[in-house]
Amino acid sequence: MISVAVIGAAGRMGKTTCDAVEAAADLTLSARIGSGDDLLAGLKGAQVAVVMTGPEGVDDIVATCVEQGVHAVVGTTGWTEAGLAKVQAALASKPEVGVLLAPNFALGAVLLMRFAAEAAKHFESVEVVELHHPNKADAPSGTARHTAQQIAAARREAGVAPSPDATTAALDGARGADVDGVRVHSVRLRGLVAHEEVLLGGPGEQLTIRHDSFDRISFMPGVLLAVRQIAGRPGLVQGLEHYL
Amino acid sequence: MISVAVIGAAGRMGKTTCDAVEAAADLTLSARIGSGDDLLAGLKGAQVAVVMTGPEGVDDIVATCVEQGVHAVVGTTGWTEAGLAKVQAALASKPEVGVLLAPNFALGAVLLMRFAAEAAKHFESVEVVELHHPNKADAPSGTARHTAQQIAAARREAGVAPSPDATTAALDGARGADVDGVRVHSVRLRGLVAHEEVLLGGPGEQLTIRHDSFDRISFMPGVLLAVRQIAGRPGLVQGLEHYL
Amino acid sequence: MISVAVIGAAGRMGKTTCDAVEAAADLTLSARIGSGDDLLAGLKGAQVAVVMTGPEGVDDIVATCVEQGVHAVVGTTGWTEAGLAKVQAALASKPEVGVLLAPNFALGAVLLMRFAAEAAKHFESVEVVELHHPNKADAPSGTARHTAQQIAAARREAGVAPSPDATTAALDGARGADVDGVRVHSVRLRGLVAHEEVLLGGPGEQLTIRHDSFDRISFMPGVLLAVRQIAGRPGLVQGLEHYL
Amino acid sequence: MISVAVIGAAGRMGKTTCDAVEAAADLTLSARIGSGDDLLAGLKGAQVAVVMTGPEGVDDIVATCVEQGVHAVVGTTGWTEAGLAKVQAALASKPEVGVLLAPNFALGAVLLMRFAAEAAKHFESVEVVELHHPNKADAPSGTARHTAQQIAAARREAGVAPSPDATTAALDGARGADVDGVRVHSVRLRGLVAHEEVLLGGPGEQLTIRHDSFDRISFMPGVLLAVRQIAGRPGLVQGLEHYL
C-alpha cells in the first residue's frame, strides 16, 4: 500500500487524481492539500506526493517534499532554470528521493513522442499536425513543440537531411511553423480536445502516428504508473518516457 | 457510340485519356491530336474533343472546337479572362455547343468540394488540410484554395460567423494560410500524391471529409462522364460539379 | 420566443436538453416533465415538446402531445409499427401538428449519412467502419446499419454493381458484416465514444467521410434546429435529414 | 562499393531492385539473373545477392548463395520448414555468411509492427484494420496477421488482459476476425494499394499507428539498408526489424 498526498487537490487535475488514487486498490489517499493548507502537516505519513498546482511557487512545494523525504510526481508545467536548481539543491541532501517532472502523463502521448523520434531517423520527410479546441491560446501546443524538437534532435544525430520542399509560391503560413526545421501545423476546431499527428513519408510509403486525448482521465494511468515506480527512481527525471 | 478526339494526346493526361476512351464500349477514339498536328483535320468526324494541353493557346483550340460544332471537355487550367471571352464569343454563334472547363475531374474531389460547402453552413469551425508530394511548387494547392473559397462563400451566404480562434501566442505560420477567412494548412511529404481533408467541428462533434488521389487514372471516370453528358449541356460550364 | 416542454427531463439527454433550451435566447423552458409528473398539466402553454424518454409508453406520450396541439421533437428510439400507427391516428385529427422522430440529432451524423448515400452512387467500392466504446452491446451500431441501408438503397436505385471483392481465403469475420450487401466493420476500443467512417473507392482515388461524436452535447444543435422549424413541418417526419 | 547480384531480375520486384541498386552511389549491379540463367556464373564476383523470385526452388537458390560465400537478402515468402533447414545446413559450413528473410521490406511496415507490439503492452484495447485493393485473395493480409500475432505475444508476455468487449448482439462478422485474441478487420476498396492501421485505446485516449504502401518502390530503402548491413550480420535472420 503506497500512501499518496495530492497537492493542488481542489483543481480539476487534482480532483481527478484524488479519485484515481482512491479507486486504486494498492494506493491510499493520505491528504488532499489545497493552496491555503499547511503543507508540512499534509505531507505527514505520505510516501509520494502528486503535485498538480499552478506554476507559481511549485519549486518551493517540490523542494519541501524532497526535504521531507516524500517522492514527488509533478504535472505542473512552466518550470524555470532557477526553479529546477532549487529542486536539485534539495535533492543533493536527499539523493534517495525521486522527483518526476512530466508535462504530459498520457501514455499515448509519451509513446507517440518516442516512436516519432525513432521513426524520423528512417524517413525522408516528417511533419507534425496538432489539433485542439479553439479556446487554446498558444500555437503550436507545448506537446507538439516538444515532439518536433525531439524529432529534430533524432534526425540531427542520425545525420538525416532536412525534409525536401520545393515550394516556391506560398501564401503566408501555408507551410506551417518551423520548429527546429520541422514543420508544425496547428488546427483549431470546436468540439476537439487535444490531438497530435506525426506524418512521415518516404518513397512510396507513409507512416502516421496519432494520439487523441478525449478526457483528462487519460492522464491517470501515467500518474499512477509514476506513483508506483518513483521509489525506485531516485533523483530528478524529466519526462514520463524514462519510466516506460 | 460517341466519337471522341483527344487534343494534347502525347502528354501523360492525354495518353491516359486515349486509353480510357478506347476501353469504353460506348465511345470511339476518332483522333489523337498532338501539338504539331492539323487541328481542323483532327476534329473531322468528332462529336466531342477532350482538351488536355498546356495553358498556352488553349483558348484558340477551344474556340476552334466550338466553331466546328465539336463539344469540348477541357482539363487545361490557367484560364485568363481574355481566353474565356474568346470562348464565349465563339459560343455566341454556336449556342448548341457545350464547353466544360474543369480543374479537377476526380469525382471524389468534386464531391468533397460540394459536401464541404454544404456542411460548412452547419458547423461552427472549419479548416482545410491538403497534403502533396514535396516537388509541388505552390502552397496551398489550387484545389484547396478553390475548396476554401467555396466554403467561405457558403458560410457568408448562410450568415455563419467566422470560425472561433482564441490564439494569442503563435509561431509564424502555425495557424496556416488565410483563404477568404478559412485556414488552410499545406503538408509536403515524400511518397504522397494529392490529398485533401476538410475538418468541421461543432460542440461535441467533428465531421471530416477526405479525398485521396493516388493516380491520374482517378480523373478518367469524371472525363468519361463529361464526354457522355456534354451534348445535353450547351454553353460554358465551369466545374464538373454541375454535371453530377 | 418558442415555449418548450422537455419530457424525460430527469434523464441525461433530458437534462442536457433543458440546459440547451435555457441557454437559447429565442426559446423558453415551460416545463421539465419526469416520469411521475402529470403530462397534461406539463404541456400547458408549451408550443413544442422535446421527448427524451425510454421507449416504453412513448407512443402514448407523443399521441397526447399531438392531441393537445403541441409539436413533438422525439429522440426516443425503438418505435414499433403499432406505436407509429397510434401517432398517425392522432395526427389525422390534428394535421397542423408536426412530429419529428430522429434516432440521431448530431448534425454531422445526419450529413454523413446523406453525403455517403449520394457519393455511393459514383464509386465502385464502399464499406463502413464504426468505432465505439467497449461497453456497447450491439454490433454494428444502429446508426451504422442505417447508413449502410441508405447506401445500399442509393446504389440499387442508381444501378451500381456490388462492390468488387476477390476474397477466396478468409478467416471468419475478417470481411465484416453484410448489411444489404454493404460490408460493415465494428471496432470496440476503450476511450472512444461514437465514431463512424464511410470509405469509398474508385480507380486511383478514395473518398472518406467520418463523423466523431465526443459528447452528447453534439445532439443539441440538431434538437434546437428541429424545435425552431417544426411548426412549419406538419405531419410525421422520420429523420432529421429532412429538416436540413 | 558493394557488388550486388539480383536473382529474379525479370519480375516486377526484381526490376525495381535493379533500378534501385544502379541508382545507389555505393552499390554496383554485378548481374541480373533470370529463371533460365546459370546461377553459379551469375554469382561470380557478387558480395550480396538480392533474391526476389517466386517460392518454388528458392531454398536451393539461397543455399547455393551461401555455399558460394554470397550474403542473401531475400524477399521471397512462403518458406517451408524443410526449406529453412536446407539453408541452415548450408550456413553450418559457412557461418560467416548472412541470410535475411523478410516478408515486408517497407521500413514503415516494420516500424509499425514494432511500435504496435510495444504500445499494446500499455493499452487496455487494441484492434487492427487492414485495407487493400479488391483483387486480393486472402483476408486478413499476411502482414496484418503477423502484426496481430506480435501484438498478442507482447500482451501475453506483459500479462495484459484481453481487450474488453461487451458485445452480446452482433451480425456475423461485425467484430472482425480473431487472430490470437486480437480483432482484425479487412477492408477491400478499389483504388487502394496496401494499408494497415493499429488502434489502441485506454481511458480517455487513443493511439493510432498507420502505414500506407502506395508503390512497391517503398520496399527499396529497406532492401538497400539490408544490402549495406548484411556483411555484419552472419547467420539466418528473419524479419527486417532486427536490422533497425
Side-chain angles (χ1 to χ4, degrees):
Chain A
M1 205 72 162
I2 304 171
S3 155
V4 182
V6 174
I7 307 179
R12 290 191 309 174
M13 278 298 293
K15 272 183 197 159
T16 308
T17 304
C18 291
D19 292 349
V21 170
E22 290 189 321
D26 60 333
L27 307 178
T28 181
L29 183 66
S30 67
R32 298 168 186 260
I33 305 176
S35 56
D37 296 336
D38 181 338
L39 184 56
L40 284 179
L43 289 175
K44 277 267 162 62
Q47 293 164 279
V48 179
V50 179
V51 183
M52 295 289 184
T53 65
E56 206 175 336
V58 67
D59 47 1
D60 289 322
I61 289 170
V62 174
T64 302
C65 291
V66 172
E67 288 155 16
Q68 301 302 311
V70 178
H71 308 292
V73 171
V74 185
T76 307
T77 55
W79 282 82
T80 61
E81 287 304 311
L84 288 172
K86 202 178 287 183
V87 171
Q88 291 282 28
L91 282 166
S93 326
K94 291 273 189 181
E96 73 282 10
V97 174
V99 172
L100 170 68
L101 307 185
N104 196 328
F105 278 101
L107 291 175
V110 172
L111 289 171
L112 172 144
M113 245 178 261
R114 194 213 280 176
F115 295 160
E118 167 67 16
K121 295 185 271 180
H122 301 288
F123 282 90
E124 204 177 324
S125 302
V126 57
E127 303 206 0
V128 177
V129 181
E130 55 92 344
L131 312 94
H132 282 83
H133 58 86
N135 302 329
K136 188 169 180 58
D138 54 324
S141 68
T143 298
R145 280 185 201 226
H146 192 50
T147 303
Q149 287 161 350
Q150 290 199 267
I151 287 170
R155 284 167 77 88
R156 243 187 340 260
E157 200 183 319
V160 180
S163 299
D165 183 0
T167 310
T168 52
L171 288 187
D172 256 19
R175 291 287 292 114
D178 182 320
V179 176
D180 290 6
V182 176
R183 296 286 169 171
V184 182
H185 310 268
S186 299
V187 174
R188 295 293 172 263
L189 220 62
R190 178 69 70 216
L192 293 186
V193 183
H195 316 258
E196 188 185 14
E197 214 168 56
V198 179
L199 307 164
L200 303 121
E205 68 169 330
Q206 182 179 2
L207 182 69
T208 307
I209 312 172
R210 178 180 173 118
H211 181 251
D212 296 276
S213 258
F214 302 120
D215 192 303
R216 70 182 161 276
I217 201 147
S218 65
F219 297 120
M220 290 307 115
V223 169
L224 298 193
L225 179 152
V227 165
R228 289 176 180 125
Q229 293 194 10
I230 196 165
R233 312 255 186 180
L236 179 64
V237 173
Q238 298 200 46
L240 185 63
E241 58 269 30
H242 304 288
Y243 273 56
L244 292 185
Chain B
M1 206 72 162
I2 304 170
S3 156
V4 182
V6 174
I7 308 178
R12 292 191 308 174
M13 278 298 294
K15 270 182 198 158
T16 308
T17 304
C18 290
D19 291 349
V21 169
E22 290 190 320
D26 60 333
L27 308 178
T28 183
L29 183 66
S30 66
R32 297 167 186 262
I33 306 176
S35 55
D37 296 334
D38 181 339
L39 183 56
L40 284 178
L43 288 176
K44 277 269 162 59
Q47 293 164 279
V48 178
V50 178
V51 183
M52 294 289 184
T53 64
E56 206 175 335
V58 68
D59 46 2
D60 288 323
I61 290 170
V62 175
T64 302
C65 292
V66 172
E67 287 154 18
Q68 301 302 311
V70 178
H71 307 292
V73 171
V74 186
T76 308
T77 55
W79 281 83
T80 61
E81 288 303 311
L84 288 173
K86 202 179 286 183
V87 171
Q88 292 282 24
L91 282 167
S93 325
K94 291 273 189 180
E96 74 281 9
V97 174
V99 171
L100 170 68
L101 307 185
N104 196 327
F105 278 102
L107 290 176
V110 172
L111 289 170
L112 174 143
M113 245 179 260
R114 194 213 279 175
F115 295 160
E118 168 66 17
K121 294 185 272 180
H122 301 288
F123 282 88
E124 205 176 322
S125 301
V126 57
E127 303 205 0
V128 177
V129 180
E130 55 92 346
L131 312 95
H132 283 83
H133 57 86
N135 301 330
K136 189 170 179 56
D138 54 323
S141 68
T143 298
R145 281 185 201 223
H146 192 50
T147 303
Q149 286 161 350
Q150 291 199 266
I151 287 169
R155 285 167 77 88
R156 242 184 343 257
E157 199 183 318
V160 180
S163 298
D165 182 359
T167 311
T168 52
L171 289 187
D172 256 19
R175 291 287 291 115
D178 183 320
V179 176
D180 290 6
V182 176
R183 295 286 169 172
V184 182
H185 309 268
S186 299
V187 173
R188 296 292 172 264
L189 221 61
R190 179 70 69 215
L192 294 187
V193 184
H195 315 259
E196 187 185 15
E197 214 168 56
V198 179
L199 307 163
L200 303 122
E205 67 169 328
Q206 183 179 1
L207 182 70
T208 307
I209 312 173
R210 178 179 173 119
H211 181 250
D212 297 275
S213 258
F214 301 120
D215 191 303
R216 70 182 161 276
I217 202 149
S218 65
F219 297 120
M220 290 307 115
V223 169
L224 298 194
L225 179 153
V227 165
R228 289 176 181 126
Q229 293 193 11
I230 196 165
R233 312 255 186 180
L236 180 64
V237 172
Q238 298 200 46
L240 185 63
E241 59 269 29
H242 302 291
Y243 273 56
L244 294 184
Chain C
M1 206 71 163
I2 304 170
S3 158
V4 182
V6 174
I7 307 178
R12 291 189 311 172
M13 278 298 293
K15 272 183 196 157
T16 308
T17 304
C18 290
D19 291 350
V21 168
E22 290 188 321
D26 60 334
L27 308 178
T28 183
L29 183 65
S30 67
R32 297 167 187 261
I33 305 176
S35 55
D37 295 335
D38 181 339
L39 183 56
L40 284 179
L43 289 176
K44 277 268 161 61
Q47 292 163 280
V48 178
V50 178
V51 182
M52 295 289 185
T53 63
E56 206 175 337
V58 67
D59 47 1
D60 288 323
I61 290 171
V62 176
T64 302
C65 291
V66 173
E67 287 155 16
Q68 301 302 311
V70 178
H71 307 291
V73 171
V74 185
T76 308
T77 54
W79 281 83
T80 60
E81 287 304 312
L84 289 172
K86 204 180 283 184
V87 171
Q88 291 283 25
L91 282 166
S93 325
K94 290 272 188 180
E96 73 283 8
V97 174
V99 172
L100 170 68
L101 307 186
N104 196 327
F105 278 100
L107 291 175
V110 172
L111 290 170
L112 172 143
M113 245 178 262
R114 195 213 280 176
F115 295 161
E118 169 65 18
K121 295 185 272 179
H122 300 288
F123 282 89
E124 204 176 323
S125 301
V126 56
E127 303 205 0
V128 177
V129 181
E130 55 92 347
L131 313 94
H132 283 82
H133 57 85
N135 302 329
K136 188 169 180 58
D138 54 324
S141 68
T143 298
R145 281 184 202 225
H146 192 50
T147 304
Q149 286 160 350
Q150 291 198 268
I151 287 170
R155 284 167 77 89
R156 242 184 343 256
E157 200 183 319
V160 180
S163 298
D165 183 359
T167 310
T168 51
L171 288 186
D172 256 19
R175 291 287 291 115
D178 182 321
V179 176
D180 290 7
V182 176
R183 295 286 169 172
V184 182
H185 309 268
S186 299
V187 174
R188 296 294 171 262
L189 220 61
R190 178 71 68 216
L192 294 187
V193 184
H195 316 259
E196 188 186 15
E197 216 168 53
V198 179
L199 308 163
L200 303 121
E205 68 171 328
Q206 183 180 2
L207 181 70
T208 308
I209 312 172
R210 178 179 172 118
H211 181 252
D212 296 276
S213 256
F214 301 119
D215 191 300
R216 69 181 162 277
I217 201 149
S218 66
F219 297 120
M220 290 307 115
V223 169
L224 299 193
L225 179 152
V227 165
R228 289 175 181 127
Q229 292 193 11
I230 196 166
R233 311 254 186 180
L236 179 65
V237 173
Q238 298 200 47
L240 185 63
E241 58 269 31
H242 303 289
Y243 273 56
L244 295 185
Chain D
M1 205 73 161
I2 304 170
S3 157
V4 182
V6 174
I7 308 178
R12 293 190 309 174
M13 279 298 293
K15 272 183 197 158
T16 308
T17 303
C18 291
D19 291 349
V21 168
E22 291 189 319
D26 61 333
L27 308 178
T28 182
L29 183 65
S30 67
R32 298 167 187 261
I33 305 177
S35 55
D37 296 335
D38 181 337
L39 183 57
L40 284 179
L43 289 177
K44 278 267 162 61
Q47 293 164 279
V48 178
V50 178
V51 183
M52 295 290 184
T53 63
E56 205 174 336
V58 68
D59 46 2
D60 289 321
I61 290 171
V62 175
T64 302
C65 291
V66 172
E67 288 154 17
Q68 300 303 311
V70 178
H71 307 291
V73 171
V74 186
T76 307
T77 54
W79 281 83
T80 60
E81 287 304 311
L84 289 172
K86 202 179 288 184
V87 172
Q88 291 283 27
L91 282 167
S93 327
K94 291 273 190 180
E96 73 281 10
V97 175
V99 172
L100 170 68
L101 307 186
N104 196 328
F105 278 101
L107 290 175
V110 173
L111 289 170
L112 172 143
M113 245 179 260
R114 194 213 279 175
F115 295 161
E118 169 65 18
K121 295 185 271 180
H122 300 290
F123 282 89
E124 204 177 323
S125 301
V126 57
E127 303 205 0
V128 176
V129 181
E130 55 92 346
L131 312 93
H132 282 83
H133 58 85
N135 301 329
K136 189 170 179 57
D138 55 323
S141 68
T143 299
R145 280 184 201 226
H146 192 49
T147 304
Q149 286 161 351
Q150 291 198 266
I151 287 169
R155 285 166 77 89
R156 244 187 338 258
E157 200 183 318
V160 180
S163 298
D165 183 358
T167 310
T168 52
L171 287 187
D172 256 20
R175 291 287 292 114
D178 182 322
V179 176
D180 290 6
V182 176
R183 295 285 169 173
V184 182
H185 309 268
S186 299
V187 174
R188 295 294 171 262
L189 220 61
R190 178 70 69 216
L192 293 186
V193 185
H195 315 259
E196 189 185 15
E197 214 168 55
V198 179
L199 307 163
L200 303 121
E205 68 171 327
Q206 183 180 1
L207 181 69
T208 307
I209 312 172
R210 177 178 173 120
H211 181 252
D212 296 276
S213 257
F214 301 120
D215 192 302
R216 70 181 161 276
I217 202 149
S218 66
F219 297 120
M220 290 308 115
V223 169
L224 299 193
L225 180 152
V227 165
R228 289 175 180 125
Q229 293 193 11
I230 196 165
R233 311 251 185 185
L236 179 64
V237 173
Q238 298 200 48
L240 185 64
E241 58 268 30
H242 303 289
Y243 274 55
L244 295 185

